[in-house]
Amino acid sequence: MTQHNPAQQSTSWDSRAAAYDKENATTSDVIARQALSIMGVTPGQKILDVAAGPGSFSILAAQAGADVLAVDFSQGMADYLRDKTRRLGVKNLRVEVMDGQDLKLEDDTFDIAFSALGIMLFPDRAAGMREFCRVLKTGGLGAIVAFTGLEGHGIQSLVMSALKRAKPDFEPAGQDPRYSLTNPDVFRAEMLTAGFSSVNMFTVRVVRSFESPETLWPRFAETSPAMATVFNDLTDSQRQAFGDAFVEQVRSKQGDGPYGAENELRIAVGVK
Ligand SMILES: C[S@@+](CC[C@H](N)C(=O)[O-])C[C@H]1O[C@@H](n2cnc3c(N)ncnc32)[C@H](O)[C@@H]1O
């Protein structure tokens, strides 16, 4: 049986929707706005958001007048987004529970497809990309967002070095740049293999503020299934050592604040 990491299990996300949304709303919103401005959206266009999560992109696209379908394999995320859609009074946005590797959708249906920080998690990424391209109309645009790698991913590199301090034999999963979407050559090649005829890459840096390193690190497990597993595998004293190292590193770079967590992401936009 295939071993799935926690971010590849829908149940890991079910209870995290609200916390994920609260923590990542700034980042998701900046990416969504960039992607919308790169692709341009006109009223009436049919748009698909794969692994939509709390739906930052879907909501903005629907508010711009597009006809949007948001899909996510987590029932909890889908319920949360339906609720948020109602709360905000957003029209033209439907939400369905669906696996991005096996979309229950017709070929050649959408003008635009988008997926942020979702396809990069799929155990069968090739199937995810193939499905993503299949449902686009010929000439349609598909944008996939992934992290650029630890170097540019500021907060993540602090987390990794704090983990190494707490547990020297710690090895992060899925970061081998020969196969990962952090490598732009791999990213482009996989999109072309999936059926896109040309692909361009755009880099986006996002900084979100946080109140203090002491209150930030205990929340990692609430918003990230992967971090929850990492924390579970640490002893209490290793977890505390991680927290201490994280706080020390943030304070050595940013003193007593104001604090900002930096992320770097790549938007790969392909034409089918
Ligand atoms: C890191 S969140 C990104 C959410 C959103 N796109 C954003 O940028 O804020 C990852 C999302 O991918 C979803 N997901 C993971 N694997 C999936 C799959 N195979 N099919 C559909 N959704 C998936 C999770 O449920 C979660 O909502």
Side-chain angles (χ1 to χ4, degrees):
M1 210 175 88
T2 320
Q3 276 288 319
H4 289 283
N5 80 34
Q8 295 172 339
Q9 290 162 6
S10 58
T11 48
S12 304
W13 292 98
D14 284 342
S15 58
R16 292 194 159 82
Y20 178 91
D21 196 17
K22 190 160 175 241
E23 201 80 88
N24 296 294
T26 305
T27 306
S28 298
D29 190 68
V30 171
I31 303 167
R33 286 178 195 280
Q34 282 288 316
L36 283 168
S37 105
I38 293 165
M39 294 190 287
V41 172
T42 50
Q45 273 185 324
K46 287 182 68 107
I47 296 191
L48 175 69
D49 186 359
V50 174
S56 300
F57 179 86
S58 293
I59 289 170
L60 287 171
Q63 285 171 336
D67 178 15
V68 182
L69 174 64
V71 301
D72 198 287
F73 75 165
S74 154
Q75 183 70 56
M77 280 289 184
D79 291 344
Y80 178 85
L81 178 53
R82 277 195 198 106
D83 224 56
K84 187 172 164 187
T85 303
R86 263 193 301 273
R87 231 172 35 238
L88 297 174
V90 177
K91 305 274 182 268
N92 322 320
L93 170 50
R94 272 186 310 126
V95 184
E96 285 184 28
V97 175
M98 213 181 280
D99 185 341
Q101 299 158 111
D102 181 21
L103 295 172
K104 305 295 182 207
L105 300 167
E106 299 286 320
D107 296 356
D108 306 315
T109 302
F110 296 92
D111 300 291
I112 284 176
F114 174 82
S115 186
L117 310 179
I119 290 178
M120 67 177 202
L121 302 173
F122 294 1
D124 189 348
R125 196 162 74 211
M129 292 226 187
R130 233 176 11 247
E131 285 290 87
F132 188 77
C133 190
R134 176 183 67 76
V135 299
L136 269 178
K137 295 175 185 167
T138 301
L141 295 176
I144 299 179
V145 182
F147 290 117
T148 58
L150 296 181
E151 302 74 37
H153 188 181
I155 190 76
Q156 185 72 351
S157 57
L158 293 185
V159 168
M160 286 302 151
S161 63
L163 279 169
K164 280 270 183 205
R165 289 256 296 274
K167 193 176 182 219
D169 62 350
F170 176 81
E171 280 304 329
Q175 296 289 353
D176 187 332
R178 285 172 301 173
Y179 312 112
S180 157
L181 292 187
T182 56
N183 178 336
D185 297 332
V186 170
F187 204 164
R188 178 177 281 107
E190 290 191 9
M191 285 186 71
L192 293 173
T193 302
F196 286 96
S197 60
S198 66
V199 177
N200 274 329
M201 307 269 175
F202 304 89
T203 306
V204 180
R205 254 178 192 244
V206 187
V207 186
R208 66 181 169 86
S209 67
F210 57 95
E211 60 296 336
S212 77
E214 287 84 354
T215 51
L216 180 64
W217 78 263
R219 291 204 303 272
F220 288 151
E222 288 167 34
T223 57
S224 158
M227 282 305 288
T229 304
V230 168
F231 278 7
N232 274 340
D233 290 346
L234 298 179
T235 62
D236 287 349
S237 63
Q238 284 172 330
R239 212 173 304 133
Q240 194 52 54
F242 164 80
D244 293 345
F246 180 77
V247 169
E248 188 191 309
Q249 290 184 62
V250 172
R251 286 198 177 277
S252 82
K253 281 179 182 290
Q254 301 186 17
D256 292 331
Y259 297 108
E262 211 173 346
N263 274 311
E264 192 178 83
L265 306 107
R266 188 171 283 120
I267 308 181
V269 184
V271 183
K272 178 172 173 186

